[in-house]
Structure formats: structure tokens, C-alpha cells
Amino acid sequence: MPSPRTLYDKIIDRHRVMPLNDIEGPGEQLLLYVDRTVLNEYTSPQAFSGLREAGRTVWRPEGALGVVDHVNSTAPDRTAIAPDADAQRQIDYFARNGRDFGIEMYDVLHPRQGVEHVVLPELGWVVPGLVIAAGDSHTTTYGAFGSVGFGIGTSDIEHLLATQTLPYTRLKSMRVTIDGTVAPGVTAKDMIMAVIRAIGAAGAHGHALELAGDAVRALGIEGRMTICNMAVECGARVALIEPDEAVIDYLSGRPKAPKGELLEQARRVWADLRSDDGARFDREVHIDAADIAPMVTWGTSPDQALPIDGAIPDPAALPAAERQDAERAIAYMGLTPGMALEAVTIDRAFIGSCTNARLTDLRAAAEILKGRKVAPGVRAMISPGSSTVRREAEAEGLDAIFTAAGFEWRQSGCSLCLAMNDDVLAPGERCASSTNRNFEGRQGSGGRTHLMSPAMVAAAAVSGHLADVRRMPLP
């Protein structure tokens, strides 16, 4: 009788082409078949140049999809021509690569353009049991569907395009179980920020992280994507949630999803995509959902986070291993130990990114903004996760709520998440942000980022300072 296996090991076993060493379990090196990849204009150019120099073709063009998202403008009236000449060269070369190698590409004016990790799921192109590798670390997002997704570098992209395989090292397995029910005002973003705070920014390093428990199963698919997306911020190379009927419902009717008899066949194949009873995890962590509050980061690492009713920590009171990093973070962020988080004023508010710019995120923020105005002195902007999300939000009238409140209603792209276009913080500006990283300079040199959920960004925008969404009565 075979030994119980984790969901991660089952998927890797199904995609093993051949072993590359004699190790069994974590540390095994193997040649891994990769089902799909998504390409962007920023991390793929060198891979295509390498293919050209070597005279190679793309092994399976239909297994790749390209989306312009990193450097494009998000201006409401943007055109096909980027305002920045270097950005335009990257976009033009990306389009040429699609034409020359037979890969479908969504340019900046394509009706389905958007942030890659928002676009692929809404197409129905991410289904359970796949291996998806791409040149972006937040490829972990696809774990929400029970697929192994992970980020790769440029040379790996070239190898993948040429062979549809990658040399791969099997990871250790870790499971975080969040049981119970979250309180009102607590979102998927707060759940994953609480996990990162609990285990640290390197807490899942070297592991495939499976997320389980009542609170995770209760999330919609978009919330599950938020959790898997940010799992990389605690070092997880892969994040996974067991697929269930909610995944099937989400896929139903999407343009690239299986349909009819093909879907029924797939459903039978997906039926055993779960960790077996008795499967061994190298590490287990349990968190009570009732202990999670709306979260906000105070420092320059995603694990430097606290419940919104907390205060900036005193480095002297922290464990010695954390003290130096805390002192540097507090200095960079321009804060004072003991200062209440809700006393921290902001200059900017941003809702966007592959973490939190889907339709449910926009609805949650709009609920807070309805009938309210952005505080004087705060510049607030929203970049929907995709052009599809933007259209759907407009059909519901959400754009009118955002603009009436004083938010800029922009086009889709990575935007202020990583400041590769003209959406950039000025030195010293402080931003309440629904994004995924608060590193020094992430949103612009000298910019200061506080991560939180979209509803918390909306609460901060109308308050002019970090604010507790639980104390914002809905109209």
C-alpha cells in the first residue's frame, strides 16, 4: 500500500519526467514537466534573446501567454504609446517575441490586459493539478486552485520555453491550519499577514506551504488567491489550497476553462487532489481565526506587522535577533517607538496589485468609501487588477463611488506596487497600500509603505491616517 502523500507531492509526482539524483523526498532533483507559463515584458526579454542566439524555437507556444503589465502606464486615457521611451521599447520587443515565436500576447490596449496573476485565473486557464512556472515570484497565486505555481529567473524562462521542462528540487512540506471563524472586518489579507507575522519572513523557506482549516475553506476563490499570492512573503516557494467545488464553480463558463464532458473528465482526475490522511508534513502551524484582527505593517518587511490597534514596537523590548532590523525599519519609516498605529498620518492611498485588486476587493473598499471623501492632503488612486475587473466594476457603478470619494480611477497594471512606470511615491511620502511588499524603496526611492487590506486602505484614505475599518460604520 503506497504511503500517504501531501497534495504537493502528488502534483510533483505526476509531473516528474525523470529523476536527476537518487534522493527520495525533499532534496530530490528531477526534471519537471511544466504545463503553462505566463510572460511579461519585464522579465522575459533576455529569455527570447537567448532563444534567438541559440537558434531555438518555443517547444509548446500554446502553453504560454504574454501580458503587458509591469511598465505600462495606468493613466485613465492611456494610448498604445507609452510615455516612457524605454518602456515602449520593452513593450515593442515583447510584441515582436509573440509574433516571432507564435505566443498569444495581450498588449496594453487588449480588452483582457491586466496584471498577469489576475488575468490567467479570470480566463479559466488555471485549473487544479497543474504546474505553472513564470518569471514573477507571485506565481504562487495559482495555489488557490490546487496548482503548483512558482517563480523562476530569466535563464529558467529560456529553458522552459525551449523544452517545456525545468530542473527542479523537491521541497519540504509545511501546513498552516487556520481553524474557526474570522471576526467581521477581517479579510484574507489579514489572515496571510497574520501568518507571515507568526512564522516570520523566512518561516516557510524551502517549503511548499499548504493552507488549510475552516477559515481558509470559507474563503471565496479571490480571497484564496490573496493568501497564496502573499505566501511567498514568508519564504514559501509554493502555496497550495485543496481544490473543492468552489473552484469548479469559479471556473464554470470562463473562456479557457474546460467545458461539458471535458470538465466532467477533469473533475474525476481532480478528485484525489488533496493531502492523504496521515500525510507527513515537515512542519505544522495552527492559528485560531478568532485571534486575527485587521493588520497593518509598520516596518520594511511583511512580517513587521501588527493589529491596527497596536503601537510601534520598542526595539529594546524585542528579541535580540530582531532588534537591529527593527531599529533600521523604524528610522526608515520615520516613526517613533510607542506611537499608536492609528496616529500615523498618510500622504497616499493605493488599491491595486496582483494581491488585492480583484472585483471583491473593489467592492469591499467601495463599501467603506460610499458617502465619504478622501481626507484633505491625501492622493488616492485605484488600479483595477485587469481591464475585465475594471469593466465589471464600472457595470456595478463602483467607479462612481471611487471617483465621488476622490480616488483616481485608473487603468490596469502593476502600477504603484513596484513603481516601474510613472506611478511612484516621492521621497518621504507615506502610503496605505493593498500591495504585497513594503521593502525600502519598493514604491519609489524614500517612499514609505504600509501594507493592509483594500478596505483598510479605504478607511485610511478617508481618515488621513491609518484607521481601524471595524470602527467605520457602513452607510
Side-chain angles (χ1 to χ4, degrees):
M1 185 174 178
S3 301
R5 291 181 298 165
T6 64
L7 172 58
Y8 167 73
D9 283 328
K10 287 182 180 181
I11 296 173
I12 295 301
D13 288 346
R14 288 182 180 182
H15 288 76
R16 182 204 284 113
V17 177
M18 60 181 293
L20 298 178
N21 66 8
D22 296 328
I23 296 174
E24 295 184 1
E28 176 194 7
Q29 293 177 349
L30 58 130
L31 189 65
L32 185 72
Y33 183 79
V34 178
D35 297 287
R36 289 170 186 172
T37 187
V38 61
L39 305 162
N40 64 63
E41 79 286 3
Y42 184 71
T43 61
S44 72
Q46 299 91 337
F48 285 105
S49 295
L51 291 176
R52 284 193 174 89
E53 290 168 7
R56 296 190 176 101
T57 59
V58 173
W59 182 266
R60 189 167 169 265
E62 65 272 24
L65 177 70
V67 184
V68 173
D69 60 1
H70 275 60
V71 305
N72 60 282
S73 169
T74 64
D77 57 350
R78 70 182 175 190
T79 68
I81 305 301
D84 179 83
D86 288 338
Q88 188 61 50
R89 276 193 290 273
Q90 285 180 297
I91 293 170
D92 289 344
Y93 188 54
F94 192 56
R96 177 189 161 195
N97 292 332
R99 290 192 300 271
D100 289 355
F101 291 92
I103 294 173
E104 185 178 13
M105 297 280 188
Y106 293 174
D107 65 22
V108 71
L109 296 184
H110 191 284
R112 291 195 175 276
Q113 182 273 341
V115 185
E116 59 193 85
H117 304 312
V118 178
V119 171
L120 256 65
E122 67 187 17
L123 289 171
W125 212 47
V126 182
V127 300
L130 300 182
V131 170
I132 302 174
D136 187 280
S137 58
H138 293 102
T139 306
T140 54
T141 304
Y142 309 134
F145 297 83
S147 279
V148 167
F150 57 91
I152 55 176
T154 294
S155 58
D156 286 332
I157 296 173
E158 181 182 347
H159 189 287
L160 169 56
L161 291 172
T163 68
Q164 207 61 36
T165 66
L166 286 172
Y168 185 77
T169 301
R170 189 185 296 267
L171 302 168
K172 293 187 285 187
S173 289
M174 177 176 178
R175 181 164 59 188
V176 172
T177 303
I178 308 175
D179 272 327
T181 304
V182 297
V186 175
T187 67
K189 181 66 162 284
D190 303 304
M191 291 166 64
I192 187 60
M193 288 178 68
V195 170
I196 296 167
R197 180 191 179 217
I199 68 174
H205 178 70
H207 291 79
L209 175 61
E210 182 169 334
L211 295 129
D214 302 337
V216 174
R217 284 192 295 273
L219 290 171
I221 299 303
E222 295 191 351
R224 298 182 195 184
M225 282 192 264
T226 294
I227 284 188
C228 290
N229 174 284
M230 266 196 84
V232 72
E233 309 307 336
C234 58
R237 180 89 163 125
V238 168
L240 280 167
I241 296 174
E242 180 182 311
D244 57 11
E245 282 300 312
V247 171
I248 307 294
D249 291 344
Y250 178 92
L251 292 172
S252 178
R254 296 189 180 271
K256 290 182 181 289
K259 299 174 177 64
E261 177 56 28
L262 188 59
L263 177 59
E264 291 310 309
Q265 292 178 22
R267 187 194 290 265
R268 290 192 286 275
V269 172
W270 298 337
D272 78 331
L273 288 176
R274 60 179 182 81
S275 292
D276 295 328
D277 294 340
R280 178 184 173 277
F281 288 85
D282 296 284
R283 188 182 177 193
E284 293 256 20
V285 174
H286 294 268
I287 293 175
D288 187 341
D291 292 338
I292 301 175
M295 301 287 290
V296 58
T297 58
W298 54 266
T300 54
S301 173
D303 62 345
Q304 291 176 324
L306 284 169
I308 181 61
D309 55 2
I312 306 302
D314 180 356
L318 295 174
E322 300 176 21
R323 205 166 295 157
Q324 189 172 1
D325 287 344
E327 289 173 346
R328 179 186 172 100
I330 289 170
Y332 179 84
M333 294 294 287
L335 300 170
T336 304
M339 182 181 189
L341 283 169
E342 289 192 77
V344 178
T345 58
I346 64 167
D347 308 293
R348 304 281 295 270
F350 176 67
I351 297 173
S353 82
C354 57
T355 308
N356 276 130
R358 299 180 177 84
L359 190 58
T360 52
D361 298 318
L362 272 55
R363 288 173 180 158
E367 280 295 306
I368 301 300
L369 294 173
K370 200 176 295 179
R372 295 188 170 101
K373 295 285 187 184
V374 171
V378 175
R379 181 185 175 189
M381 53 191 286
I382 178 167
S383 176
S386 71
S387 299
T388 301
V389 170
R390 194 173 192 269
R391 286 192 301 274
E392 291 173 345
E394 289 173 348
E396 294 185 13
L398 301 184
D399 59 320
I401 295 173
F402 282 106
T403 54
F407 268 72
E408 299 171 26
W409 181 249
R410 301 181 72 86
Q411 298 281 351
S412 178
C414 295
S415 182
L416 195 50
C417 178
L418 73 176
M420 285 186 176
N421 62 357
D422 50 353
D423 302 332
V424 180
L425 295 186
E429 278 194 320
R430 186 182 304 281
C431 183
S433 182
S434 74
T435 54
N436 45 56
R437 286 178 176 158
N438 54 339
F439 305 154
E440 292 184 21
R442 171 76 174 182
Q443 293 186 299
S445 179
R448 296 161 171 164
T449 303
H450 295 273
L451 303 178
M452 61 196 76
S453 73
M456 287 281 285
V457 173
V462 299
S463 302
H465 54 81
L466 304 184
D468 191 338
V469 71
R470 295 170 299 184
R471 289 204 287 269
M472 305 284 289
L474 298 178

